[in-house]
Amino acid sequence: MRQPSLFSQEAKPQTSGQSPSMSGLNSSQLEAVTTTQGPVLVIAGAGSGKTRTLVHRMAYLVEQGVAPESILLLTFTRKAAQEMLNRAVVLMDDSCQGVMGGTFHGVANLLLRRFGRYIGYPSNFTILDRGDSEGIINLLKSSLGLSGAGRRFPSKRLIINMISGAVNKNIDFNQYLEDRYFHLVEFSSDINTIREHYHNFKKDHALMDYDDLLVKFRDLLRDHPEVRTEISNRFHYVMVDEYQDTNRIQAEIVSLISSSHNNVMVVGDDAQSIYSFRGADFKNIMEFPTLFPGTCIVRLEENYRSAQPILEATNAIIAQATEKYAKTLFSNIPGTDKPYLFRARDEQEQARYLVEKIEDFQREGVSLSEMAVLFRSGFHSYKLELELANRHIPFEKRGGMKLTESAHIKDVLAYLRVICNPADHLSWNRILLQIDKVGPKTAEKMLAAIRAGSSPLHALENFKAGPVWRQGLERLVDNLRALARLDRPGAQLEQVLDYYRPIFERIFHDDYPSRSHDLDQLSELLTGYESLQDFIDATALDPPEESRLQNAGGERLILSTVHSAKGLEWKKVFILNLVEGKFPSAQAQLPEEREEERRLLYVAATRAREHLFFIAPRLTTGPDRMPQSAMVSEFISTMPRGLLAGPGMMGHEAPSFQAPSSFGSGQGRAVVSEVPAIVEFTAGRAVRHNFFGEGKVIKVVPPKTVEIFFPRHGLKQLHLDYAKLEIL
């Protein structure tokens, strides 16, 4: 028996007079708005008015007699959906009121409430938030005997990360575990048991987590033709925003919903696909015309944000992408200033240069909130943060963590603080609690002994330790003795890190490989300070006082990772550390990873409206804490001459790369030496990488990929055309 329709109101043709739905559009936007039948792919370059195009297309469809209820708009945030729907309603005097719009998860929730019984779920199923899911995992760990004192089993948070990550990347769970969490493979059987029980628990109790909304909705559409037909016939026009950010499941949902008519328009920019770590699949937008034969491709190339010289540089950056939809952004916005390339002597001069330019612009009347400093990774801004604090310039950091916010950095700094101030009992407490089997009560007794003793070292040497933690205390005492014999900051930090790493791996056993890079950065940050006390003072500077913020008009300079800056714009944009190994990241070894780094730079550069600055230090601090020559990022050094201003232009001192090439190598020129053949790498062989150090080959993946374990950085998959490896 046919189920009653969820949709009681049928689509009714409407008529209207002249409407503003086509007003104010350029020719490409007009084509996208008025091409309503069949699949349409809109490649919307940065700042090209994609939101306006989507809004006007909704209005145009309603103007042409399409019932608003038969239009579906899918977005990635509720705010974006609501903004577009509101603008369409205003544009058409409330005629678009019935358009259904929302996030993929929101729409899935509504439709699963109606059709969930087809897959065994009642309409009143409960959606789990992250805390709920972690609570269930904790319950299962306990009931299965996989938790308790002394067990180094993965945390509830990490287990949920594993389960969700495999779903969003559409990867087999065991393969995902092996690739991403290789250090936890010993627990793979137990983790799989928890995962299976977690899925059964949700089904038995009518629960869905956030990922289930997509997976179950996809399964419903795929496995139940009658439901798919009803939903597809209901939503006769489907529009998707930011299609380059979809994962495989979301792309399947779009295809299934539009299966009866193929009237689907997706809007996105392949050049701004930068969220692979969240599961976004670059291939979705590239393969759309294959999935939907007869696709009409419309390119939005007129930019309404940036002056033309900025666009010429950004066009050059993306032009060298190996896989892309060709487009050339242009602008009618007045402006003649080319992007400026500044080669700072080192990262300290980079920070000073930035602050001086920011102060210059302030004197010209540019507010701090109209300027932004962008960087590849959160730790790249640490030295700049210290310089800004010293100069009393208020700032807001977005993305990444500030220097002293992460627990493992606080741990290391505690040792450095007690070197400078043996009476710093707060830091002593943090250090003592790192001893295995030592709790708050024992730490307090030890602190009392330190307070009463002539010196902390003497007090700890003579403290009566319990048998289960005596060895840990002895290690700490040995470390303190070694520190007492050292007077150079670099040597002191090295001693602390050597002592702390085993503790670090025990405390953060879930995710220490991803955190370990932060520890390496401390050595880099210490460079340039004459004394340990200067460094400690700099990291401990208080934020600017409220009065200073008020004097600055309550505005702050924006410091942001590129990922957090997407969709935003500023008059003046500075991009830090544009050298090989920093941007692109040394972690990006495979060709597809390098290409995403290129797209990241494109996104960063297209945030600028009036002025764009590329900053590339000549010297950076290597993993051994020694200064090394830094090559200008390949994405900059390969640009045609004449697009950038500034002394020391690429082409004069940073020649274009040639493949195979080396980056992060500490050399000031491209290296074109012979790359060892894949046959020279065998499992167990020792190798050296210029950034990651010495490691051991774990697996060889022909034709040109090897998996290597580096003690300080974990398992890395390296491509021989990009990674300069030395066989030891």
Side-chain angles (χ1 to χ4, degrees):
M1 181 177 177
R2 184 177 182 273
Q3 297 295 331
S5 173
L6 169 65
F7 316 105
S8 58
Q9 185 174 356
E10 298 296 331
K12 298 178 181 179
Q14 297 183 7
T15 60
S16 67
Q18 185 63 39
S19 165
S21 65
M22 293 185 286
S23 64
L25 301 175
N26 63 39
S27 59
S28 296
Q29 292 171 335
L30 187 61
E31 181 183 2
V33 165
T34 58
T35 304
T36 60
Q37 300 303 305
V40 181
L41 170 61
V42 179
I43 302 299
S48 62
K50 71 175 180 64
T51 300
R52 181 181 183 85
T53 301
L54 284 164
V55 168
H56 280 251
R57 190 173 197 263
M58 284 187 280
Y60 179 78
L61 286 169
V62 172
E63 179 189 18
Q64 298 303 304
V66 173
E69 295 79 12
S70 67
I71 302 171
L72 174 64
L73 171 67
L74 293 170
T75 66
F76 278 86
T77 67
R78 284 183 294 179
K79 180 180 178 181
Q82 199 57 55
E83 177 190 348
M84 285 187 268
L85 292 173
N86 289 342
R87 286 173 59 176
V89 167
V90 171
L91 191 64
M92 291 297 292
D93 296 326
D94 293 343
S95 298
C96 293
Q97 193 72 51
V99 173
M100 183 173 181
T103 65
F104 278 89
H105 293 85
V107 170
N109 174 48
L110 289 174
L111 295 176
L112 283 169
R113 297 284 177 193
R114 173 62 182 87
F115 296 105
R117 68 184 183 282
Y118 284 89
I119 56 173
Y121 274 85
S123 61
N124 64 339
F125 64 81
T126 298
I127 299 175
L128 301 170
D129 63 20
R130 184 58 179 255
D132 295 329
S133 295
E134 291 181 0
I136 294 171
I137 294 296
N138 231 20
L139 178 66
L140 294 174
K141 284 174 64 178
S142 179
S143 66
L144 294 169
L146 298 175
S147 61
R151 284 191 60 90
R152 293 184 58 196
F153 197 74
S155 68
K156 58 186 180 181
R157 176 184 61 83
L158 186 64
I159 292 173
I160 286 296
N161 284 347
M162 294 175 183
I163 295 172
S164 180
V167 169
N168 282 286
K169 286 185 174 291
N170 200 33
I171 298 174
D172 173 76
F173 181 76
N174 288 312
Q175 185 63 51
Y176 184 69
L177 184 63
E178 181 180 337
D179 291 345
R180 180 70 187 272
Y181 299 98
F182 60 90
H183 59 297
L184 298 176
V185 291
E186 62 180 296
F187 301 114
S188 60
S189 177
D190 290 339
I191 293 171
N192 268 295
T193 298
I194 290 178
R195 174 172 167 265
E196 181 180 349
H197 279 74
Y198 176 62
H199 289 316
N200 292 338
F201 187 96
K202 289 185 294 180
K203 188 65 178 289
D204 293 343
H205 296 84
L207 307 171
M208 285 196 199
D209 61 25
Y210 206 54
D211 296 325
D212 288 329
L213 292 173
L214 295 183
V215 173
K216 302 301 183 186
F217 186 40
R218 186 272 314 273
D219 293 348
L220 172 70
L221 293 168
R222 182 190 62 196
D223 301 336
H224 297 276
E226 65 275 34
V227 176
R228 179 173 67 248
T229 299
E230 181 170 353
I231 292 176
S232 184
N233 287 341
R234 167 63 176 82
F235 296 118
H236 203 68
Y237 295 91
V238 179
M239 290 183 285
V240 186
D241 187 26
E242 303 284 13
Y243 190 72
Q244 79 279 350
D245 293 337
T246 54
N247 61 28
R248 281 293 181 179
I249 297 174
Q250 289 163 327
E252 287 182 66
I253 288 172
V254 172
S255 176
L256 290 165
I257 290 180
S258 56
S259 58
S260 71
H261 49 73
N262 280 352
N263 293 331
V264 54
M265 182 180 88
V266 301
V267 180
D269 185 2
D270 55 294
Q272 297 188 70
S273 179
I274 59 173
Y275 294 111
S276 64
F277 67 94
R278 295 181 185 169
D281 196 330
F282 174 74
K283 293 181 180 178
N284 285 347
I285 195 167
M286 301 308 299
E287 295 175 356
F288 185 85
T290 302
L291 182 62
F292 290 91
T295 292
C296 172
I297 300 177
V298 181
R299 291 171 172 81
L300 304 185
E301 297 176 299
E302 183 171 359
N303 178 282
Y304 296 94
R305 174 187 300 154
S306 306
Q308 185 61 31
I310 293 175
L311 296 181
E312 289 175 1
T314 60
N315 287 336
I317 291 169
I318 206 64
Q320 298 182 62
T322 56
E323 190 176 6
K324 62 183 180 297
Y325 287 104
K327 60 181 176 296
T328 303
L329 296 183
F330 67 93
S331 171
N332 292 312
I333 297 173
T336 58
D337 291 336
K338 297 177 182 179
Y340 192 89
L341 173 64
F342 178 71
R343 292 228 62 189
R345 180 178 62 253
D346 52 26
E347 290 164 281
Q348 198 66 47
E349 186 181 57
Q350 174 178 248
R352 288 195 296 269
Y353 171 80
L354 269 165
V355 171
E356 289 168 3
K357 293 299 296 183
I358 288 163
E359 290 178 333
D360 287 345
F361 283 130
Q362 279 187 285
R363 283 190 285 270
E364 294 173 9
V366 181
S367 66
L368 284 174
S369 60
E370 284 286 1
M371 295 183 274
V373 182
L374 307 183
F375 32 84
R376 172 62 183 86
S377 301
F379 61 83
H380 286 181
S381 70
Y382 288 162
K383 287 192 176 181
L384 175 61
E385 291 174 44
L386 298 176
E387 186 70 22
L388 290 168
N390 284 333
R391 304 282 276 269
H392 307 302
I393 297 177
F395 64 88
E396 174 186 345
K397 186 172 182 180
R398 301 174 181 175
M401 296 188 75
K402 293 185 179 179
L403 180 61
T404 57
E405 286 182 349
S406 52
H408 51 297
I409 297 298
K410 288 181 178 180
D411 286 349
V412 175
L413 290 176
Y415 295 94
L416 305 183
R417 291 179 191 277
V418 298
I419 292 173
C420 296
N421 178 16
D424 183 349
H425 294 153
L426 185 64
S427 292
W428 276 118
N429 186 62
R430 190 176 192 95
I431 290 169
L432 296 174
L433 287 173
Q434 293 172 21
I435 301 174
D436 197 16
K437 311 301 184 198
V438 168
K441 290 183 179 179
T442 301
E444 180 56 39
K445 293 177 182 178
M446 297 167 77
L447 268 175
I450 289 174
R451 291 190 190 100
S454 58
S455 77
L457 179 56
H458 184 266
L460 294 176
E461 283 175 329
N462 292 281
F463 193 85
K464 186 177 180 180
V468 296
W469 51 272
R470 180 180 295 115
Q471 187 176 3
L473 178 59
E474 290 173 352
R475 278 196 72 240
L476 173 60
V477 169
D478 289 343
N479 175 55
L480 295 174
R481 286 199 196 102
L483 285 171
R485 294 191 293 268
L486 302 172
D487 57 6
R488 290 186 302 105
Q492 291 168 325
L493 177 59
E494 184 175 357
Q495 171 62 35
V496 170
L497 290 175
D498 286 344
Y499 166 78
Y500 177 68
R501 283 189 185 278
I503 298 172
F504 166 67
E505 294 181 8
R506 170 174 55 82
I507 295 176
F508 301 101
H509 60 89
D510 284 352
D511 58 353
Y512 74 84
S514 63
R515 290 175 178 253
S516 63
H517 189 58
D518 295 342
L519 298 182
D520 297 333
Q521 297 310 309
L522 275 179
S523 300
E524 179 180 335
L525 293 172
L526 188 58
T527 303
Y529 289 93
E530 294 183 1
S531 72
L532 191 59
Q533 186 66 64
D534 289 343
F535 176 69
I536 293 299
D537 289 347
T539 61
L541 284 172
D542 292 329
E545 297 173 359
E546 287 301 316
S547 59
R548 290 197 187 112
L549 296 178
Q550 291 168 3
N551 291 339
E555 297 169 339
R556 294 172 172 85
L557 174 71
I558 301 300
L559 310 185
S560 178
T561 61
V562 180
H563 287 101
S564 297
K566 188 172 180 292
L568 304 175
E569 59 184 68
W570 295 271
K571 285 184 179 179
K572 322 290 183 183
V573 170
F574 303 83
I575 306 176
L576 288 183
N577 284 323
L578 276 168
V579 294
E580 292 292 323
K582 298 275 191 181
F583 201 158
S585 168
Q587 310 286 333
Q589 296 283 345
L590 299 178
E592 59 269 26
E593 294 170 341
R594 294 277 290 188
E595 286 303 297
E596 181 154 329
E597 295 289 306
R598 180 190 302 280
R599 298 194 293 270
L600 267 172
L601 179 56
Y602 175 81
V603 168
T606 53
R607 301 308 95 198
R609 297 205 301 267
E610 296 178 0
H611 291 99
L612 174 62
F613 295 83
F614 297 125
I615 308 175
R618 298 174 188 274
L619 294 175
T620 59
T621 305
D624 58 358
R625 300 188 310 282
M626 298 298 291
Q628 63 180 22
S629 297
M631 295 177 64
V632 175
S633 169
E634 176 190 5
F635 309 140
I636 300 297
S637 66
T638 53
M639 289 172 61
R641 293 191 185 209
L643 295 182
L644 304 184
M649 293 295 298
M650 66 288 178
H652 295 285
E653 57 180 273
S656 297
F657 270 40
Q658 304 174 50
S661 64
S662 169
F663 59 92
S665 62
Q667 303 298 318
R669 56 185 177 81
V671 177
V672 291
S673 57
E674 191 70 26
V675 176
I678 191 75
V679 294
E680 297 183 50
F681 296 90
T682 55
R685 191 149 201 179
V687 297
R688 180 184 290 112
H689 183 273
N690 284 312
F691 182 84
F692 299 125
E694 293 187 8
K696 182 180 292 186
V697 175
I698 303 299
K699 186 167 68 173
V700 178
V701 185
K704 289 189 176 184
T705 301
V706 289
E707 292 185 1
I708 302 172
F709 179 79
F710 297 96
R712 284 197 170 192
H713 298 274
L715 189 67
K716 300 296 177 185
Q717 193 175 55
L718 308 181
H719 193 283
L720 294 184
D721 281 351
Y722 296 91
K724 181 178 172 59
L725 292 170
E726 176 188 353
I727 296 176
L728 301 178

